[in-house]
Amino acid sequence: MTGPMPDLSPSAAASADPAAGPAREFGAGPPSAFGPTPPWKRALQITGWVVAAFLALLMIAIAWLAVTAPLSQSLKPIAPPSISLMSADRHLIARRGAIIDKPVTIAELPAHVPQAFMAIEDRRFYSHWGVDPRGIARAVWHNIWSDGASQGGSTITQQLAKGVFLSADRTFGRKAREALIAFWLEAWLTKDQILERYLSNVYFGDNVYGLRAASLHYFNRQPELLTIPQAAMLAGLLKAPSRLAPTTNLKGARARAALVTQAMVDAGYISKAERDALPPARLNVHDAPDPTTGTYFADWVLPEARDRAGAVYGAQEVTTTLDWRIQRLAEAAIRRAPLGKAQAALVAMKPDGSVVAMVGGKKYADSAFNRAVQAKRQPGSTFKLFVYLAAFRAGMTPEDMVDDTPITTGTYRPANHGGKYRGRITLRQAFAASSNVAAVRLTQKVGVDAVIKVARDLGVKAPLTEDLSLALGTSEIPLVELAQAYAAVAAGAYPVVAHGLPPEEQGWFDRLMKRQRHFSDDELDMIRDLLSSAANRGTGSAAALRTSTFGKTGTTQDSRDAIFVGYAGGLVTAVWIGNDDNSPLPGGAAGGGVPARIWRGFMAGAINEPVEDVPEETQDSDLVNAIANVTVETGIGNVGVGVDEGGMTVNIGPAQIRLPVDQPPGAPTPTGTTPPRVVPTQPGDDGGP
């Protein structure tokens, strides 16, 4: 049979039999027995692998936590707390025990006592299993949308685990162990037993641990007799025990107690009408004797050390910033100073605010009042730092001129010390000579608000008068705040916050909100120029070291306070002398006298520089007429000698003798000249350099 040959190509085969499906390529192998894996199956496999890996890691983590977490000791009796404060170089500064008492029993307490604590700390305490996911979610939501006030999500069980069985660090590992111990406690103890342990051991401020000790300390009554306002106040203290302790912050403690009673209303424990009828809690403080001794620095740093540790029990060691060697030098410098009946204070810190030495008085055993941080005294001319910084912010320079002449207009008319005026001088000369009228004129020019703004930027929190007298340091400021401000200049950034404990690691939000700002290069160079002139060639020349020295003297009216603040060799130090009753110091003492010499003697040892006498010819020739006082120690007190174009002025105590330049002492008074006269120091004067 003859005819055309059939077309055997794949396309022809496909067209011949449509039902046969798609044709395979020529030369391809046999069809696979397994079809391609669908995408959803592939995704399911990957998810399974991820879950398996996660579970494996979780099991490893649980095994690690079980080994590292102190589960075996979590049910043992709680050891009384104690804190040992150590210097940075591991010397013991002070050891403090705690005020404790017998544990409480929930069944014996009025219902409103545990309710107050649960309302503000853990409202779902009796319904969760040790960790409260709803509470954590609520805290996260609050922290995201709040204005910076953070909220915690820890349960009472977690707080017990953290406080009693773990360290106070904030690492993920510690939080994980805390959760594991919380589950363990919930498994082995009843809810009442957990709450009893918590209330019997938590910190309430004033070195008091446990509800019974706190109830006796603040209200002089057993916890079984606490009223709702009293229970609310105690519950409110747990947020910040030292800061809210009603013995030092009754207003803050009552405000916090009001939040607790409102939380009790929200939780349904009391009605709004009951809350509205509650009177504020009244204190009846019952002090227990402190079983240990202390130091000025220990007293200052201990509240923060306790707050940072939380309610961690057992013996703790807290490392501080204090330098043992430098602290001993500071104490020796104050001990050697010719203070008579006057008191003295010294605070030394690094430019970052780390306090390395603190002396709050001549002798702690005689007076524990810390004059370095608790006393508020007028800073005198040391406050002019802020005036001149405000002038530089306004565009002025050290070479700009200012009138050092009497102010004859307006209601406020300050005078220079001893009535000495130099005419038109540079800002550098005015600062070195500590001219009062120049500082007031600069404040008039830039505005009082601008000066206050600089002071606030540099960390001064004390109230400041809003008038021209502010320029002369009439507002009372703690010495430590003054040291912080000068530390900012040393660091080139502000604000600097004095601290006695190493800074804790901050989250990104805290770092963002609390970041330092930096001086401009020009601003920093100019203010350091002025501080160098004052400390080396001006009123503070008695403090000058071989190392570059920067500082400023301050003396208040009638020599009630004498101060020197400055820095050298990476150390910032402020020294104050005065009487606790604010009476004048004898002999017209000035900041350039005893305080400057205390500062120099201490600093030389602290930065390992030999102490040498300062040559008299250290003053620059172009500043001779700008320098008002050269302080000399005599048997009758400080004698101030001023030289200007018109002659010489001698100050003996509060009196002044003026000698014209062409008239030697005792010579007849030439016609047309002012005779030598004795006048009292001008009222309203800064009182000295």
Side-chain angles (χ1 to χ4, degrees):
M1 183 173 179
T2 61
M5 293 293 291
D7 187 357
L8 299 179
S9 67
S11 59
S15 60
D17 187 7
R24 298 179 63 250
E25 293 290 336
F26 181 77
S32 172
F34 301 97
T37 302
W40 65 270
K41 279 191 175 182
R42 184 66 176 170
L44 190 61
Q45 288 175 344
I46 294 174
T47 302
W49 294 337
V50 171
V51 170
F54 174 78
L55 290 175
L57 290 174
L58 181 62
M59 295 300 295
I60 293 172
I62 292 175
W64 172 74
L65 290 171
V67 172
T68 59
L71 297 178
S72 60
Q73 69 181 30
S74 62
L75 302 178
K76 294 179 180 179
I78 297 170
S82 68
I83 291 182
S84 296
L85 296 177
M86 311 297 293
S87 67
D89 46 354
R90 305 302 299 161
H91 284 83
L92 177 66
I93 301 170
R95 181 177 287 118
R96 295 295 179 88
I99 300 171
I100 57 175
D101 213 304
K102 294 182 297 182
V104 296
T105 302
I106 294 297
E108 297 175 358
L109 295 174
H112 58 256
V113 174
Q115 287 171 353
F117 288 88
M118 290 187 294
I120 198 67
E121 292 293 322
D122 185 2
R123 204 170 297 175
R124 287 168 34 84
F125 171 70
Y126 278 97
S127 60
H128 62 64
W129 292 356
V131 176
D132 186 7
R134 283 171 54 181
I136 295 173
R138 183 178 62 251
V140 170
W141 180 261
H142 174 274
N143 295 343
I144 291 174
W145 295 104
S146 72
D147 57 357
S150 61
Q151 189 179 88
S154 294
T155 65
I156 283 177
T157 313
Q158 285 177 280
Q159 293 180 49
L160 179 64
K162 176 183 68 174
V164 180
F165 311 119
L166 297 170
S167 66
D169 61 270
R170 301 181 180 182
T171 62
F172 174 79
R174 198 273 293 163
K175 294 293 290 185
R177 288 192 295 271
E178 174 188 302
L180 183 64
I181 295 173
F183 288 131
W184 181 267
L185 291 172
E186 292 278 348
W188 286 93
L189 300 175
T190 67
K191 286 287 188 177
D192 282 358
Q193 288 174 326
I194 292 172
L195 191 55
E196 286 169 355
R197 285 194 172 206
Y198 175 74
L199 294 178
S200 297
N201 296 281
V202 73
Y203 181 50
F204 287 92
D206 277 7
N207 198 30
V208 175
Y209 289 79
L211 181 60
R212 189 173 303 279
S215 180
L216 290 168
H217 173 67
Y218 291 116
F219 305 115
N220 199 22
R221 63 170 59 192
Q222 295 291 340
E224 291 80 8
L225 301 176
L226 285 171
T227 64
I228 293 178
Q230 291 169 340
M233 178 173 285
L234 292 177
L237 298 183
L238 303 189
K239 179 179 176 63
S242 296
R243 179 171 61 82
L244 293 174
T247 48
T248 56
N249 185 10
L250 182 58
K251 181 179 179 181
R254 283 179 170 170
R256 179 69 178 167
L259 294 178
V260 175
T261 53
Q262 179 58 48
M264 295 177 73
V265 173
D266 297 340
Y269 296 139
I270 60 175
S271 67
K272 185 177 183 299
E274 287 177 300
R275 192 276 313 273
D276 293 341
L278 293 174
R282 293 182 176 274
L283 297 184
N284 183 10
V285 178
H286 178 70
D287 285 320
D290 192 335
T292 60
T293 60
T295 65
Y296 294 110
F297 179 84
D299 289 351
W300 176 63
V301 81
L302 189 63
E304 184 185 357
R306 285 202 181 104
D307 278 354
R308 183 176 294 189
V312 177
Y313 283 70
Q316 297 181 78
E317 282 192 0
V318 177
T319 301
T320 69
T321 60
L322 184 125
D323 186 297
W324 184 255
R325 181 186 70 87
I326 295 178
Q327 174 67 24
R328 294 179 68 186
L329 289 171
E331 293 171 357
I334 296 299
R335 191 167 53 247
R336 291 193 305 263
L339 298 172
K341 296 181 179 180
Q343 280 289 351
L346 182 153
V347 58
M349 65 182 67
K350 296 178 181 178
D352 66 355
S354 301
V355 174
V356 296
M358 179 180 287
V359 180
K362 288 194 296 187
K363 191 174 182 181
Y364 182 87
D366 293 341
S367 171
F369 180 68
N370 192 338
R371 295 156 188 86
V373 295
Q374 293 175 286
K376 291 185 177 180
R377 305 294 292 250
Q378 291 184 356
S381 290
T382 58
F383 193 87
K384 291 173 184 173
L385 169 76
F386 310 116
V387 175
Y388 282 78
L389 268 172
F392 295 152
R393 284 186 177 182
M396 302 182 74
T397 71
E399 285 72 32
D400 285 340
M401 306 299 289
V402 63
D403 287 332
D404 184 30
T405 56
I407 295 176
T408 58
T409 59
T411 57
Y412 182 59
R413 301 186 181 184
N416 282 351
H417 175 59
K420 295 177 289 294
Y421 302 94
R422 302 155 194 85
R424 194 159 177 78
I425 58 176
T426 65
L427 266 61
R428 182 185 293 106
Q429 292 172 315
F431 189 84
S434 202
S435 168
N436 289 339
V437 294
V440 171
R441 281 196 165 92
L442 289 175
T443 303
Q444 285 177 318
K445 185 170 183 177
V446 302
V448 173
D449 289 344
V451 176
I452 293 176
K453 177 66 165 58
V454 173
R456 297 299 185 217
D457 284 349
L458 269 62
V460 175
K461 293 182 171 60
L464 300 175
T465 57
E466 298 183 12
D467 55 46
L468 291 175
S469 69
L470 176 70
L472 305 186
T474 56
S475 296
E476 296 177 338
I477 298 175
L479 189 68
V480 68
E481 288 189 9
L482 204 56
Q484 288 175 170
Y486 280 74
V489 178
Y494 59 90
V496 169
V497 179
H499 53 272
L501 299 180
E504 291 184 293
E505 183 178 352
Q506 294 181 330
W508 67 268
F509 183 80
D510 286 336
R511 288 197 300 270
L512 180 65
M513 297 302 296
K514 298 178 181 179
R515 69 185 186 280
Q516 286 185 315
R517 287 171 287 175
H518 292 265
F519 294 98
S520 69
D521 291 341
D522 290 343
E523 203 173 84
L524 195 59
D525 288 343
M526 289 188 292
I527 196 62
R528 286 176 174 174
D529 177 1
L530 265 58
L531 290 171
S532 177
S533 295
N536 293 279
R537 300 176 295 275
T539 55
S541 57
L545 298 162
R546 291 189 301 176
T547 303
S548 297
T549 307
F550 306 84
K552 185 72 184 73
T553 57
T555 313
T556 61
Q557 188 173 357
D558 298 329
S559 296
R560 298 177 190 275
D561 305 271
I563 306 168
F564 186 87
V565 189
Y567 65 92
L571 193 61
V572 185
T573 300
V575 177
W576 166 89
I577 65 170
N579 292 313
D580 286 341
D581 61 3
N582 206 30
S583 60
L585 292 164
V594 174
R597 289 192 293 278
I598 293 175
W599 189 94
R600 183 168 179 263
F602 161 72
M603 287 289 290
I607 66 174
N608 296 310
E609 177 179 302
V611 178
E612 297 178 357
D613 292 333
V614 180
E616 293 183 2
E617 50 277 353
T618 54
Q619 295 183 356
D620 288 355
S621 58
D622 65 332
L623 285 176
V624 169
N625 290 332
I627 307 308
N629 301 291
V630 179
T631 304
V632 181
E633 284 293 301
T634 69
I636 58 173
N638 287 346
V639 178
V641 181
V643 181
D644 56 31
E645 294 179 355
M648 180 174 67
T649 303
V650 180
N651 297 293
I652 304 176
Q656 178 192 106
I657 301 175
R658 176 70 173 172
L659 299 175
V661 69
D662 57 350
Q663 178 184 341
T669 303
T671 304
T673 62
T674 304
R677 62 194 187 282
V678 178
V679 296
T681 303
Q682 295 286 337
D685 182 18
D686 169 66

